[in-house]
Amino acid sequence: MPGKTDKILEQIERSRVWRSIFRSGRGGSPLHRALAIQQNVFLHLFSTKVRKRMLGFNATWYLGALTLGTFLILIVTGVLLMLYYHPSVPQAYADMKDLQFVVSSGLFLRNLHRWSAQVMVFLVFAHMFRVFYRGAYRPPREFNWVVGVVLLLITLLLSYTGYLLPWDQLAYWAITVGSNLSKAVPLVGDKIHFLLLGGNEVNANALLRFYVLHCLILPLAALLFIAVHFWRIRKDGGLYVHQSDPKTLAASKKVAPEKEAK
Amino acid sequence: MKAIKNYLSSLWRALFGDTMRAFGVVSVVLLIALAIAPAKDHFSQWHSYQNGYLSLIRDRSDAVSLRRRFTPGIQQIWLPELGVVDRCATCHLGLKEASLADVAIQPYRKHPVIPHPLDSYGCVICHRGQGPATTVVEAHYSQQAGVDPILPDRYIGSGCGQCHQNELTGTPQLNLGRKMLAQYGCVNCHTVKTPDGRIMKGTDDPPSLEHIADKTTREWIFSWLKDPQAYAVSATMPNYNLSDADASDISAFLMSSSTPRAGDNDAVLIPVAKNADPTAGASLYGESFCATCHAVQNGAGNLVGGDVGPELTRIGNKAKPGWLQAWVENPHTYNPNTLMPHYRFTPQQVALLVSYLMNKSDSDYGANVQLSAATPAQIAHGRRLVAELGCAACHKINGVGKPDNFAPDLSRIGSKPLAQLIFLPGMQHTLPSYIAGKIKQPQAFGPGLKMPVFALTDLQRDALTTALLSLDDRSQTMPDKLRVAGFQQTDYEPAGQAGKLMQDLACFSCHRIDGHGSDLAPDLSFEGSAVQRQWLDNFLKNPNTLRPALTRRMPRFNLSDADRKILTDYIMVVYQSPNIDPETAPPAVNPPALVEHGRQLFYSKYACQSCHIANTKTDKGYIGPTLTQVGSRLNPAWIYAWLKDPQALRPGTLEPNQKISDDDARALTAFLMTLKNSGAQETTR
Amino acid sequence: MNDPKEFIAGFDSDQRRSPTRVVFVTRRTSAQVKANYEEQVQTYPEVLFRVVLAIELLAIVLVVLSLLFNAPLEGIADATHTPNPAKAPWYFLGLQELLHYFPPVVAGVLAPTMLIVSLVIIPYFNINIEADGLFLNDRQRRLQIFYLIAIGLLVFLVAFHVYVAAVPTLLVAIAMVVAAYSSPQSTVAARRYLANKPLAWWVMTWFLFELIVLTAVGTFFRGPGWSWVLPWGS
């Protein structure tokens, strides 16, 4: 049985169509594997090789990868939620009720989106502190740290703009409290407040504005900066290695070379 | 032990031995986890209720037609104007099935008959609950903020009251509650803006206390303040649970702030004639229909009489005789705005009534009250208490102004968020139980709360709660066209001498004209079109009733001929209906053939005798007024117009519009005009 | 530029597995080890699948979380009913807590702006950037500056009654004092650890501490009128 499946898979991979899409070709050699990364528009952001000791959980706690994971979950659930959501008053709130009671798995989708968002904010902060305490922000990675700070702000803004969309009391007052802060900016505070809300108070205009920010502008900005962030990891010399960290060094030595060769 | 360990470690290796294996296993687990939510949807509650319905109707005789009317899936009623989405019918599947009225298990029973089609009104407007929900708990007892739980059935009338600001025959509880809001003076402290834009006004007519010292004693005030219902069970004055010292200080302040009025106590009491019948006072009280407005407790402890004026069971304990005499002579001298008419009693009648009333006393009442003379400090304290307790919100008191916004606005109390409420321990955390609890024991909800305890029965409390619940966000924000406006008092005042006379006789305490006045007695707006001048004059001279079954009747005022003429002239000229054209009216006297035709129509075609009596010997109708003398009372033009369209002349009358043809109406009018009284006007039944 | 160059070419010991490296050593430099050879793995499939695995595990956790706990939803937004307290999202509650003590222009504008600016400049901040302990060089002067700043900050916070922020500040300051009087060769591991921490580390630790404490207080311990409540009370 497995032999047959392998044969079919092999046939597919040898087909012209497959080869026209995946240029790396068939084979398990380091070249083929390197090409698999290099020839892919998304994966080429990463380097083709990674220091072995960075694979261990201790080196990074996988915080960056997990943050990316929450972001992907948020995109998928967010797009699905958009199918049921009208950014208008009071339909937005009615849509929450519809999601809860009549949309198949609607409540689950909303829960997953909400909790993933909270977890993402937490993970971004955790990632930042982890990077700091590892010393991974130092030159030549200083610009990537700045990109990270920008991504932190985008994440917070994404979460904040999304907070208004259910149009319930929680949303309304959280945004009211938050947006009132902008009034405190000297000289142009009221203008900023007006620009942010599309009016002088949180109303249907603000809802529409936050919807566009949340679903279009901020995710695009996030994608852009995430791409830069990943690309800079590669360009700045790969994941940062603490030279004198005996723990991770020892971990990498443990693996016997023979086993690896298989 | 070791075997298990080995087995487990080999299992671990098999599943998570290398990255690819672990990836495969974890992916499968993730896929399974993702499949749980859709699976939960498939086994949702409403599916099983719909299956339950199908198995319920399977064995019934009308299974085929029930099955045909059943549509699977979520059922929804959407009322965009009210922002209502209602999915109750997803599980409540038999609401419209007449044959399921006997079903014992909910949610399948038929809905009782109501005046509105279910499809266009939905459920949550009356029952509350969460309409969009499709689970039992969320629909009925949701804990989500901003969602009402299902309203207990006894308050269901509040649903009607959201749109209907008028009185409805089907909602006695709501009507009572609304009436009580005005009658118990709730609206004197609380602002209540009804959804049709009226500010509710009190109808309790709280007495002015500006001259209270003329009327009664400090001891009586003390006893009254301590417990108003001990003096009169029907008193609407609430109990403030005052301490003896506080009640004493308030009484001292009220006595000291009162200014004397000439004629209240300084006039000489008229003695009752020596030869007077001992029952003459009681007879006069009865003949004057005092009981229409005033109640008295009888031997069995039941109240007999109306609730317009104060209860008189122990009036002798309260009133000073001099004041009472002045009051009975002409109440308008003491209180120009009183609802009580100026009866124009003869001095002897006044004496009889005063002595009759002063005998209505209870020697035990207030017997132990001994108040020492008040010090200035006590009076000052009394004044402070009067201001703090808001006495002046209802009563006029010298030196204390009416407080503004003394109590919270109740215009939207029916939607008050639970988060803003404080509950007593052991209380259900729902809005109805909060409102009912607050009415029952207002001071238990926190220290320093001023609302007093009103003496109410459970029924009255439920009625008030119902009326308050109807004042919700929906009622205040719905489109105007969905609302049925309530009755709004106009400020109509008749002019001239007749106007003064009508004021003096307090006609508007019972009658209504052009939207002003009470509805105890017939509306007189078109009285001039309706009645014959001679009849009206006789009626004012000696009123007798049209409807013998009624206990409230027009009292006799000792009007002078001149006064009577002024009134009659004014009514005949001014109170004319624009809907009656005297030109086309049938004549008062008609050929016998037409009269006979009318009689036959009366008895056979239209069967008027089912409600009216034209012949006292044969007819049994009691619902409508007796017609034995209608030919001397009403104008033929009015009768004709009335037969054609009764509702046009008096909206809401019970008389059906039978679409009587012109010819039939003429014949009926001809017949009715022959029903005249035989000379003397005393021939009442 | 015309100098003839001398090359020493050699092979790595493990030439089969890693590409051949050529080392050029110019005249005036000497060969030195900057980095040891590190074993590397292919991103595909080793890293990629591990990352996907990690994301999948997180997704499972989130899915289970979503099945068990419903996202909050209150009544429809109503501008006329202000909830008490009206709280911002949890990650802003630290700021809202500060807002309770300082005017909005300080807590709502100045503080976050300064925070972002300092985060951005951290890697460009050239003082004491290498892993030198803060108090290892120029100890006397740095201690003076530290005391000045720490005491000034504490007095400022206490003057505004911001005890919520003062307590973490005090704790970090105490730890810094311990570090100042510890030697990197101390026999106590904790003192050795602290003594080696540079300035940036101390600033970040102080920030992290404040962030956690303020956010936790704002989230769990604040009730109606922003008064103190216990999360398990009521």
Side-chain angles (χ1 to χ4, degrees):
Chain A
M1 237 354 234
K4 209 171 180 185
T5 328
D6 282 349
K7 232 179 211 163
I8 294 170
L9 280 175
E10 197 181 322
Q11 250 168 21
I12 292 174
E13 287 184 16
R14 280 185 195 287
S15 72
R16 240 183 107 176
V17 178
W18 181 273
R19 279 188 295 149
S20 75
I21 301 170
F22 300 101
R23 289 267 161 92
S24 57
R26 204 175 140 72
S29 73
L31 173 66
H32 280 112
R33 290 179 168 179
L35 282 174
I37 298 296
Q38 212 183 333
Q39 299 286 332
N40 186 299
V41 69
F42 305 109
L43 296 178
H44 93 280
L45 291 171
F46 305 105
S47 46
T48 54
K49 281 185 165 188
V50 174
R51 290 182 192 87
K52 177 143 191 146
R53 61 171 154 141
M54 296 314 292
L55 274 186
F57 182 73
N58 245 328
T60 58
W61 294 355
Y62 280 71
L63 286 171
L66 293 179
T67 309
L68 174 71
T70 51
F71 185 69
L72 295 177
I73 293 174
L74 284 166
I75 287 183
V76 173
T77 52
V79 167
L80 290 175
L81 286 173
M82 276 172 82
L83 298 179
Y84 298 101
Y85 181 80
H86 305 77
S88 65
V89 178
Q91 187 56 39
Y93 183 74
D95 288 338
M96 293 303 116
K97 293 284 179 193
D98 282 2
L99 277 172
Q100 183 175 0
F101 295 120
V102 288
V103 175
S104 300
S105 310
L107 185 58
F108 169 72
L109 274 182
R110 198 168 87 80
N111 291 346
L112 191 54
H113 195 75
R114 181 100 176 190
W115 298 136
S116 300
Q118 313 278 337
V119 169
M120 181 173 171
V121 172
F122 175 79
L123 284 175
V124 168
F125 272 109
H127 181 46
M128 184 182 83
F129 283 107
R130 178 74 188 157
V131 163
F132 178 83
Y133 285 117
R134 293 284 298 182
Y137 63 93
R138 291 176 190 152
R141 296 177 176 81
E142 68 266 51
F143 180 68
N144 215 12
W145 166 265
V146 175
V147 172
V149 172
V150 171
L151 279 169
L152 167 73
L153 293 180
I154 293 178
T155 307
L156 289 179
L157 282 175
L158 268 169
S159 180
Y160 181 69
T161 49
Y163 216 83
L164 180 64
L165 302 190
W167 199 250
D168 63 343
Q169 280 286 77
L170 207 60
Y172 184 89
W173 291 102
I175 301 308
T176 303
V177 169
S179 63
N180 278 344
L181 281 184
S182 67
K183 280 194 201 165
V185 176
L187 300 176
V188 289
D190 284 340
K191 300 266 182 221
I192 294 178
H193 185 250
F194 192 92
L195 183 72
L196 184 67
L197 298 182
N200 287 320
E201 58 181 38
V202 180
N203 56 19
N205 290 352
L207 181 63
L208 186 60
R209 202 157 281 216
F210 275 45
Y211 174 76
V212 173
L213 282 171
H214 185 75
C215 301
L216 188 80
I217 298 171
L218 291 171
L220 284 180
L223 279 174
L224 185 72
F225 280 96
I226 287 171
V228 174
H229 201 57
F230 287 168
W231 192 68
R232 284 302 288 236
I233 297 174
R234 185 182 126 197
K235 288 287 147 184
D236 294 345
L239 293 175
Y240 175 76
V241 178
H242 213 291
Q243 290 298 343
S244 56
D245 191 341
K247 234 189 281 172
T248 51
L249 212 54
S252 79
K253 287 275 158 68
K254 258 190 236 162
V255 187
E258 289 80 32
K259 214 173 177 183
E260 169 65 20
K262 276 184 211 170
Chain B
M1 197 61 207
K2 197 156 186 212
I4 296 172
K5 215 174 166 188
N6 275 340
Y7 174 74
L8 281 178
S9 68
S10 70
L11 188 69
W12 178 262
R13 266 199 308 280
L15 291 178
F16 304 105
D18 62 66
T19 312
M20 289 307 288
R21 275 171 195 262
F23 172 68
V25 174
V26 171
S27 298
V28 170
V29 174
L30 176 61
L31 286 177
I32 292 171
L34 283 174
I36 294 175
K40 259 171 74 182
D41 263 8
H42 183 74
F43 296 105
S44 66
Q45 232 171 3
W46 62 268
H47 271 124
S48 66
Y49 277 116
Q50 293 200 338
N51 291 335
Y53 179 73
L54 288 177
S55 56
L56 173 88
I57 60 172
R58 193 173 301 135
D59 306 325
R60 299 185 75 93
S61 54
D62 54 348
V64 177
S65 57
L66 285 175
R67 183 71 185 74
R68 199 178 331 110
R69 286 194 292 272
F70 166 79
T71 342
I74 286 177
Q75 307 298 310
Q76 171 174 298
I77 296 168
W78 182 39
L79 310 174
E81 274 177 324
L82 295 171
V84 167
V85 173
D86 204 297
R87 303 191 173 115
C88 311
T90 305
C91 297
H92 291 273
L93 288 156
L95 288 178
K96 288 185 286 179
E97 301 296 352
S99 71
L100 297 182
D102 60 324
V103 171
I105 37 167
Q106 283 290 38
Y108 305 130
R109 199 183 309 136
K110 179 192 176 294
H111 193 277
V113 177
I114 53 164
H116 295 303
L118 298 179
D119 285 340
S120 41
Y121 283 78
C123 310
V124 293
I125 288 186
C126 294
H127 291 277
R128 303 205 172 194
Q130 180 166 214
T134 50
T135 61
V136 173
V137 170
E138 280 300 314
H140 303 84
Y141 333 102
S142 176
Q143 298 290 314
Q144 276 192 30
V147 177
D148 292 317
I150 288 286
L151 196 66
D153 280 348
R154 61 182 191 277
Y155 304 124
I156 203 77
S158 68
C160 313
Q162 294 171 97
C163 305
H164 293 276
Q165 303 307 324
N166 55 336
E167 202 161 284
L168 291 171
T169 46
T171 58
Q173 210 189 10
L174 174 70
N175 303 343
L176 175 63
R178 282 177 171 165
K179 191 178 150 204
M180 284 173 64
L181 277 177
Q183 196 182 20
Y184 278 76
C186 309
V187 295
N188 291 339
C189 290
H190 297 277
T191 305
V192 176
K193 191 162 182 265
T194 63
D196 53 353
R198 288 172 289 137
I199 306 278
M200 275 184 88
K201 294 243 167 58
T203 56
D204 51 339
D205 194 21
S208 158
L209 307 183
E210 290 162 304
H211 318 296
I212 182 77
D214 290 2
K215 183 176 178 176
T216 187
T217 62
R218 186 173 161 214
E219 284 71 22
W220 180 84
I221 298 178
F222 174 86
S223 312
W224 166 261
L225 286 171
K226 287 290 287 178
D227 184 359
Q229 281 69 38
Y231 167 76
V233 283
S234 67
T236 56
M237 166 101 172
N239 192 332
Y240 282 82
N241 294 320
L242 295 168
S243 67
D244 282 0
D246 285 354
S248 164
D249 290 356
I250 293 176
S251 65
F253 166 67
L254 290 176
M255 294 303 279
S256 77
S257 71
S258 167
T259 54
R261 280 186 49 86
D264 276 346
N265 280 305
D266 45 11
V268 182
L269 276 186
I270 308 162
V272 176
K274 289 262 164 22
N275 57 351
D277 183 344
T279 62
S283 316
L284 185 58
Y285 184 87
E287 283 163 19
S288 306
F289 297 109
C290 301
T292 299
C293 297
H294 297 282
V296 172
Q297 222 172 355
N298 66 12
N302 297 321
L303 281 176
V304 180
D307 61 358
V308 178
E311 183 188 329
L312 300 178
T313 312
R314 297 182 184 85
I315 182 70
N317 292 90
K318 171 184 176 182
K320 293 184 178 172
W323 174 84
L324 188 60
Q325 176 176 306
W327 175 266
V328 172
E329 272 172 353
N330 185 1
H332 296 271
T333 322
Y334 182 80
N335 177 5
N337 299 319
T338 182
L339 293 174
M340 171 127 164
H342 177 196
Y343 268 84
R344 292 158 169 73
F345 289 121
T346 63
Q348 191 45 206
Q349 282 177 316
V350 171
L352 276 173
L353 269 179
V354 169
S355 90
Y356 171 72
L357 290 173
M358 286 309 290
N359 277 331
K360 290 191 171 296
S361 71
D362 178 347
S363 55
D364 294 341
Y365 183 77
N368 301 324
V369 178
Q370 301 289 337
L371 297 175
S372 48
T375 65
Q378 285 173 324
I379 291 173
H381 182 236
R383 172 199 286 274
R384 208 160 54 244
L385 283 171
V386 163
E388 272 169 21
L389 295 172
C391 306
C394 296
H395 299 280
K396 257 190 175 168
I397 300 171
N398 289 326
V400 182
K402 186 176 163 71
D404 283 332
N405 298 324
F406 187 68
D409 189 311
L410 299 181
S411 306
R412 290 203 183 192
I413 180 77
S415 291
K416 202 164 169 79
L418 288 192
Q420 293 179 13
L421 305 179
I422 295 165
F423 290 95
L424 297 182
M427 203 172 171
Q428 234 189 333
H429 281 220
T430 62
L431 185 61
S433 72
Y434 169 80
I435 295 178
K438 188 96 186 183
I439 296 171
K440 187 171 188 177
Q441 36 181 349
Q443 286 156 355
F445 281 74
L449 290 175
K450 289 173 189 164
M451 175 152 157
V453 183
F454 286 82
L456 300 173
T457 61
D458 285 349
L459 193 98
Q460 286 175 311
R461 258 196 301 278
D462 282 353
L464 260 182
T465 308
T466 304
L468 289 172
L469 282 170
S470 78
L471 294 163
D472 58 5
D473 284 348
R474 181 182 293 126
S475 74
Q476 298 283 5
T477 55
M478 68 170 66
D480 265 336
K481 63 175 171 167
L482 299 182
R483 256 186 222 125
V484 185
F487 173 73
Q488 177 145 26
Q489 285 278 350
T490 61
D491 47 10
Y492 168 75
E493 295 244 13
Q497 261 188 308
K500 271 201 201 106
L501 209 50
M502 285 162 83
Q503 201 69 42
D504 197 42
L505 294 170
C507 299
F508 295 103
S509 298
C510 298
H511 294 282
R512 182 173 293 167
I513 298 174
D514 287 354
H516 173 65
S518 169
D519 57 357
L520 279 178
D523 190 310
L524 301 183
S525 305
F526 307 129
E527 191 68 1
S529 298
V531 301
Q532 298 172 20
R533 192 194 155 88
Q534 186 55 43
W535 177 85
L536 180 62
D537 192 53
N538 285 339
F539 185 79
L540 287 174
K541 200 184 217 166
N542 188 8
N544 46 45
T545 183
L546 302 170
R547 292 175 176 77
L550 296 184
T551 52
R552 289 169 177 162
R553 304 185 192 178
M554 172 99 163
R556 186 204 307 214
F557 304 110
N558 296 330
L559 287 171
S560 67
D561 288 351
D563 282 351
R564 224 167 51 240
K565 184 171 182 317
I566 293 170
L567 264 185
T568 314
D569 284 348
Y570 192 84
I571 290 172
M572 291 310 293
V573 171
V574 176
Y575 298 138
Q576 288 287 335
S577 167
N579 292 343
I580 289 179
D581 181 7
E583 302 297 313
T584 60
V589 183
N590 293 279
L594 189 62
V595 171
E596 188 47 38
H597 180 50
R599 180 197 304 281
Q600 274 163 19
L601 290 174
F602 185 90
Y603 281 108
S604 51
K605 185 170 180 186
Y606 297 109
C608 309
Q609 76 278 15
S610 348
C611 297
H612 296 284
I613 293 172
N615 182 333
T616 51
K617 294 200 177 64
T618 56
D619 305 343
K620 296 274 184 280
Y622 274 96
I623 292 171
T626 305
L627 301 179
T628 48
Q629 300 163 34
V630 70
S632 341
R633 181 164 75 90
L634 296 179
N635 283 319
W638 176 270
I639 295 178
Y640 177 76
W642 179 270
L643 288 169
K644 291 292 292 176
D645 188 357
Q647 278 74 25
L649 297 180
R650 190 163 294 156
T653 178
L654 286 179
E655 173 101 27
N657 182 347
Q658 304 205 58
K659 306 268 185 303
I660 299 175
S661 71
D662 289 1
D663 288 344
D664 283 4
R666 272 172 199 285
L668 278 168
T669 308
F671 165 62
L672 290 172
M673 284 310 291
T674 62
L675 304 173
K676 290 185 188 288
N677 62 338
S678 40
Q681 53 218 209
E682 254 76 25
T683 51
T684 52
R685 293 189 57 247
Chain C
M1 289 309 263
N2 295 329
D3 291 344
K5 291 184 172 61
E6 287 173 31
F7 301 123
I8 302 166
F11 290 106
D12 187 272
S13 58
D14 194 5
Q15 44 187 291
R16 269 183 307 132
R17 277 196 288 133
S18 64
T20 304
R21 291 202 173 146
V22 182
V23 179
F24 299 93
V25 182
T26 55
R27 228 187 344 185
R28 272 181 290 278
T29 58
S30 60
Q32 62 166 11
V33 177
K34 266 199 115 169
N36 283 322
Y37 161 71
E38 280 237 42
E39 204 177 349
Q40 294 194 323
V41 291
Q42 293 282 347
T43 303
Y44 172 83
E46 296 277 341
V47 182
L48 223 49
F49 278 91
R50 274 174 185 255
V51 165
V52 172
L53 194 63
I55 291 175
E56 278 188 345
L57 284 170
L58 175 71
I60 291 172
V61 171
L62 287 173
V63 164
V64 171
L65 204 66
S66 306
L67 288 169
L68 294 180
F69 302 102
N70 283 345
L73 184 70
E74 302 214 334
I76 189 164
D78 182 353
T80 57
H81 288 150
T82 314
N84 195 356
K87 284 193 178 184
W90 63 267
Y91 40 83
F92 286 151
L93 286 183
L95 275 186
Q96 208 180 341
E97 177 71 26
L98 284 184
L99 209 59
H100 179 55
Y101 304 105
F102 300 112
V105 72
V106 176
V109 181
L110 222 58
T113 312
M114 271 166 55
L115 190 78
I116 293 162
V117 169
S118 48
L119 278 179
V120 167
I121 62 168
I122 276 180
Y124 301 98
F125 187 47
N126 221 1
I127 311 165
N128 211 335
I129 195 141
E130 285 310 317
D132 269 352
L134 174 60
F135 298 109
L136 293 186
N137 302 315
D138 200 4
R139 184 157 166 278
Q140 218 47 44
R141 201 172 65 88
R142 288 186 183 178
L143 253 180
Q144 280 171 6
I145 297 173
F146 160 70
Y147 279 129
L148 208 68
I149 294 176
I151 291 171
L153 196 61
L154 278 171
V155 167
F156 171 75
L157 290 176
V158 171
F160 278 86
H161 304 286
V162 198
Y163 304 109
V164 174
V167 171
T169 308
L170 189 66
L171 291 176
V172 172
I174 289 170
M176 288 178 82
V177 172
V178 171
Y181 293 100
S182 301
S183 125
Q185 286 83 40
S186 168
T187 48
V188 185
R191 300 187 80 168
R192 227 167 33 233
Y193 178 79
L194 289 177
N196 278 318
K197 292 306 169 196
L199 176 61
W201 189 93
W202 286 112
V203 174
M204 198 64 156
T205 304
W206 175 70
F207 166 56
L208 176 60
F209 230 56
E210 292 283 0
L211 188 69
I212 292 173
V213 170
L214 287 177
T215 306
V217 166
T219 310
F220 300 114
F221 297 94
R222 290 301 193 176
W226 215 252
S227 59
W228 286 98
V229 291
L230 294 175
W232 48 88
S234 86

